[in-house]
């Protein structure tokens, strides 16, 4: 019997063979065996507790930093919705955000509450769950600078929390999240008190810088490669001659050479193929190995 015929009963939604392209910023990718849209944290925990442990589970966030391959994704893809998108100031300079809350929204709510230090989130294209997984950051600040505690549900359906130190943050990575056994549900942050107008002004400056230097209106996944120690990825891609050079329906943006974009009708294979071609070329020319920052999931097309 197909494991999908024995799924736990849920209050949320279970979708079978649902294309994942519409769930990602690249707008490409094959179907998930199953997508689970939990009603709330209780629904998520109960589902994970009862699900066959042999079935893979993959959290998807808002799909801003993810490339889904053309053959689709094996197992259950979990996409958190409205119940996980709350943002609430918690007194002092603390603010809670659900994992599905957009980073930009958290920055705006922090500014309204007169909390400084989270302005950088305005420039991060993603959600809080992804920020916890990747130690997301930009313009000199990272998630690890402001996170107090992260909350998650384990693959076995147990609710857990982790302090900043327990998350094991490093550049674009959390050692705790790298174990692949967690679905983050929210996080508590702490900044410092400041005048809301001053915080908003700094946030607007970040927005203006981002709009001037990044192709934010394109089908893109944000920064494609991590910056190697002592180098800028965009510069390496540019100097290797790949800025604005078409590759099927894919291209590295003429505006920012570390942003991979779907120029219209790309397949995931075009996007990943271009990234791999650039990695090989940069390695051959400089000896430097570029590491993907974009998460690639699923099966290649059959």
């Amino acid at each position: 019997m197909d494991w999908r015929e024995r799924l736990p009963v849920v209050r949320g939604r279970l979708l079978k063979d649902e294309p994942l392209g519409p769930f990602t910023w690249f707008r490409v990718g094959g179907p998930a065996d199953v997508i689970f849209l939990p009603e709330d944290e209780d629904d998520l925990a109960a589902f994970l507790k009862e699900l066959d442990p042999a079935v893979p589970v993959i959290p998807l966030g808002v799909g801003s930093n993810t490339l889904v391959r053309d053959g689709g994704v094996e197992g259950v893809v979990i996409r958190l919705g409205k119940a996980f998108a709350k943002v609430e100031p918690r007194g002092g300079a603390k603010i809670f955000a659900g994992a599905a809350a957009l980073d930009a929204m958290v920055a705006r709510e922090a500014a309204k509450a007169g909390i400084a230090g989270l302005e950088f989130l305005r420039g991060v294209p993603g959600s809080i769950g992804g920020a916890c997984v990747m130690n997301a950051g930009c313009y000199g600040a990272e998630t690890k600078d402001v996170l107090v505690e992260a909350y998650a549900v384990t693959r076995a359906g147990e609710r857990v929390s982790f302090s900043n130190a327990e998350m094991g943050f490093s550049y674009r990575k959390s050692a705790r999240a790298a174990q692949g056994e967690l679905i983050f549900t929210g996080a508590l942050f702490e900044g410092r008190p400041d005048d809301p107008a001053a915080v908003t002004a700094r946030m607007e400056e970040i927005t203006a810088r981002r709009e001037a230097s990044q192709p934010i209106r394109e089908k893109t996944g944000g920064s494609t490669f991590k910056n190697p120690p002592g180098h800028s990825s965009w510069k390496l891609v540019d100097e290797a001659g790949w800025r604005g050079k078409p590759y099927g329906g894919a291209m590295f943006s003429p505006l920012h050479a570390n942003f991979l974009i779907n120029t219209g009708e790309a397949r995931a294979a075009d996007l990943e193929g271009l990234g791999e071609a650039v990695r090989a070329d940069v390695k051959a020319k400089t000896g430097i190995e570029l590491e993907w920052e974009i998460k690639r999931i699923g099966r290649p097309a059959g």
Side-chain angles (χ1 to χ4, degrees):
M1 184 193 284
D2 185 344
W3 61 267
R4 296 186 299 174
E5 303 305 318
R6 295 178 277 107
L7 290 168
V9 175
V10 299
R11 287 179 289 110
R13 296 170 68 205
L14 290 166
L15 310 173
K16 295 178 184 176
D17 298 317
E18 187 79 10
L20 285 167
F23 290 87
T24 74
W25 289 21
F26 277 122
R27 293 292 185 266
V28 300
D33 288 349
V34 172
I35 297 179
F36 176 38
L37 308 167
E39 183 72 20
D40 53 31
E41 192 172 317
D42 288 342
D43 197 26
L44 173 63
F47 175 83
L48 291 171
K49 186 175 182 181
E50 294 174 35
L51 182 67
D52 181 344
V55 176
V57 170
I58 304 96
L60 184 63
V62 291
S64 60
N65 193 245
T66 304
L67 177 62
V68 178
R69 295 186 175 109
D70 299 306
V73 177
E74 179 185 1
V76 178
V77 170
I78 294 180
R79 172 74 174 245
L80 304 182
K82 195 163 59 173
F84 298 86
K86 294 173 186 160
V87 182
E88 301 168 349
R90 290 278 173 91
K94 290 191 171 84
I95 189 165
F96 168 84
L102 293 176
D103 299 325
M105 183 173 78
V106 177
R108 285 195 295 268
E109 292 301 315
K112 277 191 217 167
I115 299 171
L118 281 75
E119 295 92 329
F120 75 95
L121 287 172
R122 181 64 187 84
V124 178
S127 60
I128 291 300
C132 291
V133 170
M134 292 194 61
N135 186 25
C138 62
Y139 303 124
E142 297 177 303
T143 302
K144 72 175 178 60
D145 301 329
V146 290
L147 185 127
V148 176
E149 199 167 38
Y151 310 101
V153 176
T154 70
R155 178 64 179 77
E158 179 190 359
R159 291 173 173 84
V160 291
S161 61
F162 303 101
S163 68
N164 188 314
E166 288 170 334
M167 289 292 285
F169 284 126
S170 56
Y171 176 58
R172 298 298 172 266
K173 190 172 162 186
S174 157
R176 180 71 63 176
Q179 295 167 26
E181 286 294 304
L182 300 172
I183 309 292
F184 285 98
T185 56
L188 181 66
F189 300 99
E190 184 171 19
R192 59 188 186 279
D194 199 354
D195 175 55
V199 180
T200 300
R202 290 194 295 271
M203 199 169 66
E204 286 174 352
E205 186 182 323
I206 286 172
T207 304
R209 282 175 68 184
R210 185 167 170 252
E211 288 185 347
S213 64
Q214 298 176 8
I216 60 173
R217 311 209 187 282
E218 303 280 0
K219 297 174 188 170
T220 184
S223 296
T224 304
F225 303 119
K226 298 177 183 180
N227 287 323
H231 297 274
S232 293
S233 288
W234 74 265
K235 198 172 281 189
L236 292 166
V237 174
D238 192 20
E239 288 172 354
W242 289 94
R243 181 196 288 263
K245 185 177 177 181
Y247 185 100
M251 178 192 292
F252 275 90
S253 169
L255 188 60
H256 191 307
N258 194 31
F259 276 63
L260 187 57
I261 58 175
N262 174 0
T263 59
E265 299 303 319
R267 296 173 306 129
D270 295 331
L271 294 156
E272 187 169 16
L274 173 55
E276 288 299 321
V278 169
R279 289 182 71 236
D281 196 27
V282 168
K283 178 79 184 287
K285 288 174 175 170
T286 67
I288 297 166
E289 189 138 4
L290 290 172
E291 185 182 344
W292 283 90
E293 183 168 323
I294 286 172
K295 188 177 179 187
R296 294 157 297 142
I297 63 173
R299 305 167 283 225

